[in-house]
């Protein structure tokens, strides 16, 4: 029986209240206000805080969070972003000083510290065993051999830890790592990386095409990790290897329903990485493809826009997301939806052009969302 002072929210069925909690607490700014309403709402809604993406800047931050979090909430955690910091080797200094004073004291080796950290991290990740979305951020700078080996072992333990993992994102320098660990993630549905690993394009094609549930792929370029060049052959600045992901790899991914390309920064001396005709062409044959998202820090050239136009004529796209400088409705008119009676007039306003382009895209069954700098 509710009291007269009870919030109206508590008069709703619990199932409906939990849906409201889940939606309301999906944004970080909404937590304090809702949870501070009353003790009953706090008790019911608190678990939904742990369903939000949890970002940890290093293993130490993750360990500290686990130490203060009640264990009965850990099974609600579904998404983690973890920055993998290097192991602190300072204990070696104290151990070496002790060994100099007492010859019988065994010296602690660097690889033993990495082994201990790996065991500790594995035990910590096991406590959040319901994770479905995992993003791992590696160091972007030059990595030591021990760190690269440590990073590789962390990747290898993801399969045994999270056999039902649905999304995996890799950010930072993974150029020394092979993609073979992905074979253990048979339920993976979405994968994001920068297209550069130690795996060759044929190896990458074999691995990605073997993941039968993989339907979404995101390529996020990291030019700071590449060797500047004016040729179309871009190489890793660390391994000198060319990109692992090519048009030939994309051609083998028959289950792909969503494809995303993000190039947040491109030096003038470097070519475009992924938004090129050679990469768009293989997408024509992907019957399952329904979403294409392109976000660029530069305006694509006419050749690329023409390839995009050709792609739109052939591909069964339902959702198109485009974002780059000087992306005007006239660009869509000229390169994507050429022809028709509803053509722009010389003095039409931006609002009129946007409405016209939207109508014509909707006529093709393409969902459109506009976002402008003034919005």
């Amino acid at each position: 029986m509710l009291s007269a002072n009870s919030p109206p929210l508590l008069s709703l069925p619990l199932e409906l209240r939990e849906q409201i909690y889940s939606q309301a607490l999906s944004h970080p700014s909404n937590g304090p206000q809702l949870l501070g309403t009353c003790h009953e709402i706090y008790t019911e809604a608190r678990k939904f805080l742990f369903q939000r993406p949890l970002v940890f800047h290093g293993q130490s931050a993750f360990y500290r969070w686990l130490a203060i979090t009640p264990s009965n909430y850990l099974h609600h955690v579904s998404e983690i972003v973890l920055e993998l910091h290097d192991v602190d080797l300072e204990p070696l200094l104290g151990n070496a000083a002790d060994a100099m004073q007492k010859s019988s004291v065994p010296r602690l080796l660097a690889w033993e510290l990495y082994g201990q950290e790996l065991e500790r991290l594995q035990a910590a990740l096991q406590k959040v065993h319901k994770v479905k979305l995992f993003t791992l951020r590696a160091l972007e700078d030059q990595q030591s051999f021990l760190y690269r080996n440590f990073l590789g072992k962390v990747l290898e333990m993801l399969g045994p830890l999270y056999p039902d993992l649905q999304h995996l994102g890799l950010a930072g320098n993974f150029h020394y790592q092979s993609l073979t660990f992905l074979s253990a993630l048979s339920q993976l549905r979405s994968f994001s990386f920068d297209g550069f690993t130690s795996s060759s394009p044929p190896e990458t094609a074999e691995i990605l095409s073997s993941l039968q549930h993989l339907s979404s792929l995101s390529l996020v370029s990291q030019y700071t990790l590449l060797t500047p060049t004016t040729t179309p052959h871009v190489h890793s600045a660390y391994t000198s290897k060319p990109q692992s992901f090519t048009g030939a790899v994309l051609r083998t991914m028959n289950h792909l329903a969503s494809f995303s390309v993000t190039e947040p920064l491109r030096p003038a001396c470097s070519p475009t990485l992924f938004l090129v005709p050679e990469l768009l062409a293989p997408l024509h044959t992907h019957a399952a493809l329904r979403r294409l998202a392109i976000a660029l820090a530069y305006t694509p050239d006419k050749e690329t826009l023409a390839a995009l136009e050709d792609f739109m004529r052939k591909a069964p796209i339902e959702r198109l997301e485009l974002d780059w400088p000087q992306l005007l409705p006239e660009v869509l008119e000229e390169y994507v939806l050429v022809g028709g009676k509803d053509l722009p007039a010389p003095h039409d306003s931006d609002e009129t052009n946007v409405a016209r382009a939207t109508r014509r895209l909707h006529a093709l069954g393409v969902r459109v969302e506009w976002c402008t700098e003034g919005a």
Side-chain angles (χ1 to χ4, degrees):
M1 185 73 179
L2 295 177
S3 67
N5 296 326
S6 297
L9 179 61
L10 293 177
S11 64
L12 299 175
L14 177 60
E15 182 179 355
L16 184 55
R17 294 203 303 270
E18 290 194 334
Q19 292 181 20
I20 294 173
Y21 298 150
S22 178
Q23 291 292 324
L25 294 177
S26 63
H27 193 280
S29 64
N30 295 337
Q33 297 88 337
L34 179 60
L35 295 178
T37 305
C38 69
H39 178 73
E40 187 170 353
I41 288 180
Y42 175 85
T43 302
E44 291 180 350
R46 188 184 179 192
K47 64 182 181 181
F48 292 97
L49 286 175
F50 298 92
Q51 296 179 7
R52 301 193 298 196
L54 302 178
V55 181
F56 299 103
H57 300 287
Q59 302 92 287
S60 296
F62 183 39
Y63 302 149
R64 289 194 299 269
W65 178 82
L66 284 174
I68 63 175
T69 302
S71 59
N72 58 310
Y73 287 108
L74 295 181
H75 70 281
H76 294 292
V77 176
S78 60
E79 182 173 357
I80 283 181
V81 178
L82 176 63
E83 293 181 6
L84 194 67
H85 288 182
D86 207 345
V87 173
D88 182 11
L89 300 180
E90 187 173 341
L92 294 178
L93 301 178
N95 188 260
D98 292 339
M100 291 177 62
Q101 296 177 2
K102 301 178 182 179
S103 59
S104 60
V105 175
R107 294 197 60 181
L108 187 64
L109 300 178
W111 65 265
E112 292 178 330
L113 287 178
Y114 279 92
Q116 292 171 6
E117 179 64 15
L118 188 66
E119 291 178 358
R120 186 182 183 189
L121 179 59
Q122 183 175 15
L125 291 173
Q126 285 175 338
K127 295 181 180 180
V128 286
H129 59 282
K130 294 291 187 179
V131 168
K132 293 293 187 294
L133 298 91
F134 193 92
T135 299
L136 187 62
R137 295 176 178 170
L139 299 178
E140 293 188 2
D141 299 329
Q142 183 67 45
Q143 301 169 351
S144 68
F145 173 79
L146 288 172
Y147 178 85
R148 298 200 301 265
N149 186 57
F150 173 57
L151 177 59
K153 291 187 180 299
V154 171
L155 293 174
E156 290 173 0
M157 71 184 188
L158 290 181
L161 282 172
Y162 306 125
D164 297 324
L165 192 69
Q166 296 181 3
H167 168 80
L168 176 64
L170 303 180
N173 186 358
F174 286 87
H175 295 190
Y176 293 97
Q177 306 301 325
S178 167
L179 291 178
T180 53
F181 75 94
L182 288 176
S183 300
L185 299 171
S186 60
Q187 300 302 310
L188 198 65
R189 287 165 168 74
S190 175
F191 181 49
S192 173
F193 77 130
D194 75 341
F196 286 80
T197 67
S198 66
S199 299
S200 66
E203 292 170 340
T204 301
E206 181 179 359
I207 294 167
L208 295 182
S209 63
S210 69
L211 299 173
Q212 296 300 309
H213 298 285
L214 185 62
S215 59
S216 177
L217 180 69
S218 298
L219 298 175
V220 183
S221 65
Q222 301 180 105
Y223 279 98
T224 57
L225 305 182
L226 306 178
T227 300
T229 175
T230 55
T231 70
H233 303 290
V234 182
H235 294 76
S236 165
Y238 299 98
T239 66
S240 299
K241 288 188 175 183
Q243 63 197 58
S244 305
F245 194 88
T246 62
V249 175
L250 187 58
R251 191 173 288 110
T252 65
M253 302 180 65
N254 298 322
H255 303 285
L256 203 61
S258 174
F259 183 59
S260 171
V261 171
T262 302
E263 298 192 20
L265 175 67
R266 181 172 75 96
C269 59
S270 294
T272 301
L273 277 180
F274 299 118
L275 188 61
V276 293
E278 291 78 13
L279 205 62
L280 288 171
L283 290 175
H284 293 166
T285 59
H286 284 59
L289 190 66
R290 293 294 180 269
R291 173 182 175 268
L292 176 66
I294 300 171
L296 310 173
Y298 59 90
T299 303
D301 58 28
K302 293 183 178 181
E303 181 183 7
T304 301
L305 289 172
L308 179 60
E309 175 191 357
D310 185 51
F311 165 79
M312 288 299 298
R313 290 179 181 276
K314 299 176 181 178
I317 290 294
E318 295 178 356
R319 182 181 177 93
L320 177 66
E321 301 173 18
L322 303 176
D323 180 15
W324 62 68
Q326 302 302 314
L327 175 56
L328 303 174
E330 290 87 343
V331 174
L332 298 178
E333 294 281 357
E334 181 178 357
Y335 288 99
V336 181
L337 303 171
V338 178
K341 298 180 180 180
D342 193 15
L343 295 175
H347 302 293
D348 281 348
S349 66
D350 288 343
E351 290 79 5
T352 301
N353 288 327
V354 167
R356 180 186 301 106
T358 300
R359 286 195 302 271
R360 299 182 65 183
L361 285 167
H362 281 171
L364 292 180
V366 178
R367 180 179 174 183
V368 182
E369 294 182 4
W370 295 96
C371 179
T372 64
E373 293 182 358

